[in-house]
Amino acid sequence: MARAALTTDAVVDVALLAIDEKGPAALTLSAVADRAGVATPSLYKHVRNLAELRDLMSARIMNEIADQVGEAVLGRSADEAIRALMVAWRHYALHYPHRYSALVQTPEPHTAEAGARLINIMLATFRAYGMADSAAIHAARCLRAAVHGFAVLETEGAFGLPEKLDESYDLLIHMMITGLRAPR
């Protein structure tokens, strides 16, 4: 990559490719610089430090998830939308397991907008169940915990029993939908 072509977005692109190949533990500014074909100090024109790079990567990852989930729920509502949302989220985590594990889960300034996009998609799907305000926030937290927990356990190979994971995930989706339909 030519030095003139190096931008903050390009640095994030290179870092994500590095993570895809070697996992988040291998991410260093030196590794990103080597991959970009520049000296490490050249990165400081685009990112302050590794922590900021991780935040920028998390924002990108969160936006990618929001894009996929948003596309999946488009034109769907209620149970069909929840199923599509959960399937799309899991699909992202399985397709990009290292990126997903690199996602900073705490709200950071760089991830706030991307996180809000994803939350707003979830909140919109809950309207079909008559949920708004704090009830929808509680439901979003539960849905996120269910999808994220399953995805992390699956990508880390933590499900060792012979039952099919797709069947378990279908049950999880059914449980979430049943819970959303239940009177409060």
Side-chain angles (χ1 to χ4, degrees):
M1 175 177 300
R3 176 176 263 167
L6 198 62
T7 64
T8 301
D9 283 340
V11 171
V12 172
D13 290 342
V14 170
L16 287 172
L17 290 173
I19 281 180
D20 288 343
E21 279 185 18
K22 298 189 178 184
L27 182 69
T28 64
L29 290 177
S30 176
V32 172
D34 287 348
R35 190 173 183 99
V38 299
T40 303
S42 297
L43 296 180
Y44 293 113
K45 296 175 186 171
H46 308 287
V47 294
R48 284 191 307 267
N49 52 38
L50 187 58
E52 182 182 42
L53 178 57
R54 288 183 194 280
D55 290 345
L56 291 167
M57 289 170 30
S58 287
R60 174 82 62 84
I61 294 164
M62 189 76 70
N63 272 312
E64 290 174 352
I65 295 168
D67 289 346
Q68 287 194 12
V69 165
E71 186 176 317
V73 302
L74 195 63
R76 295 180 166 91
S77 68
D79 299 356
E80 192 179 325
I82 295 298
R83 176 173 293 284
L85 184 154
M86 291 179 72
V87 166
W89 195 324
R90 177 183 178 219
H91 180 266
Y92 183 90
L94 292 177
H95 193 261
Y96 296 107
H98 293 310
R99 280 185 196 200
Y100 194 76
S101 68
L103 183 62
V104 175
Q105 296 296 326
T106 55
E108 299 293 335
H110 294 291
T111 59
E113 185 178 326
R117 283 186 60 222
L118 188 54
I119 292 292
N120 287 333
I121 292 166
M122 286 191 279
L123 297 178
T125 64
F126 298 143
R127 285 189 209 119
Y129 300 96
M131 288 186 185
D133 304 322
S134 66
I137 296 297
H138 292 304
R141 287 176 177 163
C142 292
L143 182 71
R144 177 183 176 205
V147 174
H148 176 72
F150 196 97
V152 167
L153 290 168
E154 185 174 9
T155 59
E156 291 181 3
F159 294 126
L161 299 175
E163 285 73 19
K164 294 180 180 172
L165 290 175
D166 288 344
E167 290 176 13
S168 296
Y169 201 69
D170 284 342
L171 176 59
L172 179 62
I173 292 169
H174 172 75
M175 293 168 76
M176 289 302 304
I177 289 170
T178 302
L180 290 169
R181 285 193 214 144
R184 279 158 274 305

